[in-house]
Amino acid sequence: DQQVKQNSPSLSVQEGRISILNCDYTNSMFDYFLWYKKYPAEGPTFLISISSIKDKNEDGRFTVFLNKSAKHLSLHIVPSQPGDSAVYFCAANPNSGAGSYQLTFGKGTKLSVIP
Amino acid sequence: NAGVMQNPRHLVRRRGQEARLRCSPMKGHSHVYWYRQLPEEGLKFMVYLQKENIIDESGMPKERFSAEFPKEGPSILRIQQVVRGDSAAYFCASSGQIQKNIQYFGAGTRLSVL
C-alpha cells in the first residue's frame, strides 16, 4: 500500500521555465511534508518542507504548496536550471504524537532540465 | 565535515557473511534513522534510534537485521548471513532535538551480495 505517490516517473522542462512536481498521499496522520533532491550515488538532500498548518512555503526558487483537503502537494521550481536535474522525492512525517518521525517516501520523479 | 558520515561507501559480501554499516550523525544531532532503497524504489524506513535506545523498529526485517546507537561511537546497522535480496543502498539520516521533523542524509552504503 503506497501511502505517498509520485505518479510521474519523469519530467522534462526547458531551462528558465517552471518545473512542477506533484505528490499525493493517503494517510491522514501525515502532518509534515518534505521534498528531497537526489543525484546518482549520493544521499538525498533536503530542499524544503511544509507543515500541515500552512498551505505554502517558499525558499528562493523553490515553493511547496499543500492542499490538505485533496491530500496533494506540489513543488514549484522557478526558474529551472540545468543543475536542478535530479530525482526529487516527496516524503511525509506522521503526527509527532505518534512518537516516531519516520519518513514515508514516494518513488521519486526524475527531472531533466534541458539547456 | 559536519554532515552525516557513512562508511563504507561500498561493501561487497558473499552470501552468508555479515555486513556492518556505520553512521555518524551530524554534529549536535541525537536522532538517527536508517532507510533502505531498492533499485527503482523510494527509500523505506527501517529503524529510528536515539543514544542507547531503539525508538521505532517497525521497518526492520524480523530476522538477521539489528541496529544500535551506543553512548559512544557511531550507529551500526548489522546484517547477519546476508542474502542476494539484501543488495541495496542503505542510507542513514539524523535530526536534531529542536527540528525533529527534518532529517539530513548521509551519502549511503551500497551493499552488493555475491
Side-chain angles (χ1 to χ4, degrees):
Chain A
D1 175 31
Q2 219 182 322
Q3 298 183 62
V4 176
K5 297 179 186 177
Q6 293 178 256
N7 290 320
S8 299
S10 62
L11 175 68
S12 288
V13 170
Q14 207 72 31
E15 181 179 2
R17 307 293 290 268
I18 184 171
S19 295
I20 300 176
L21 297 101
N22 293 302
C23 178
D24 298 292
Y25 63 97
T26 57
N27 190 337
S28 303
M29 294 292 288
F30 291 148
D31 73 347
Y32 198 85
F33 303 89
L34 307 91
W35 284 94
Y36 286 86
K37 172 181 176 179
K38 187 179 180 302
Y39 294 116
E42 293 186 13
T45 301
F46 169 71
L47 272 178
I48 191 168
S49 61
I50 188 166
S51 165
S52 60
I53 61 173
K54 292 187 171 184
D55 55 19
K56 177 183 175 182
N57 189 24
E58 197 171 347
D59 184 1
R61 296 187 297 117
F62 302 92
T63 303
V64 55
F65 296 91
L66 175 62
N67 182 333
K68 235 182 129 179
S69 59
K71 292 191 173 73
H72 176 83
L73 61 154
S74 61
L75 174 69
H76 292 210
I77 307 173
V78 183
S80 302
Q81 298 173 354
D84 296 329
S85 297
V87 177
Y88 288 78
F89 289 99
C90 171
N93 234 333
N95 185 304
S96 58
S100 176
Y101 297 89
Q102 60 166 281
L103 292 175
T104 300
F105 281 83
K107 290 190 176 184
T109 296
K110 184 175 182 180
L111 173 66
S112 300
V113 180
I114 303 157
Chain B
N1 189 338
V4 178
M5 302 300 292
Q6 288 189 249
N7 67 82
R9 291 292 309 272
H10 301 274
L11 183 60
V12 179
R13 286 286 178 267
R14 296 191 180 279
R15 281 179 295 169
Q17 291 184 319
E18 178 180 286
R20 279 186 181 238
L21 289 65
R22 294 176 197 79
C23 169
S24 295
M26 195 176 279
K27 189 175 180 181
H29 285 185
S30 57
H31 303 259
V32 166
Y33 309 79
W34 286 93
Y35 294 83
R36 176 165 64 176
Q37 185 183 26
L38 295 170
E40 309 303 322
E41 294 285 325
L43 282 71
K44 299 272 195 248
F45 169 77
M46 299 181 76
V47 62
Y48 162 39
L49 310 104
Q50 293 179 25
K51 284 284 186 183
E52 300 185 281
N53 283 305
I54 296 174
I55 307 301
D56 178 1
E57 56 182 347
S58 58
M60 285 281 267
K62 295 284 183 267
E63 296 176 348
R64 303 186 298 107
F65 285 72
S66 62
E68 63 176 6
F69 188 16
K71 189 176 178 182
E72 301 290 338
S75 175
I76 307 283
L77 179 68
R78 183 180 175 208
I79 312 171
Q80 295 179 286
Q81 299 174 336
V82 295
V83 300
R84 288 224 173 101
D86 297 333
S87 297
Y90 292 81
F91 292 98
C92 170
S94 71
S95 64
Q97 189 63 27
I98 295 176
Q99 275 196 311
K100 294 176 187 174
N101 282 305
I102 299 177
Q103 297 175 23
Y104 297 90
F105 283 80
T109 294
R110 274 137 193 93
L111 173 65
S112 297
V113 179
L114 304 179

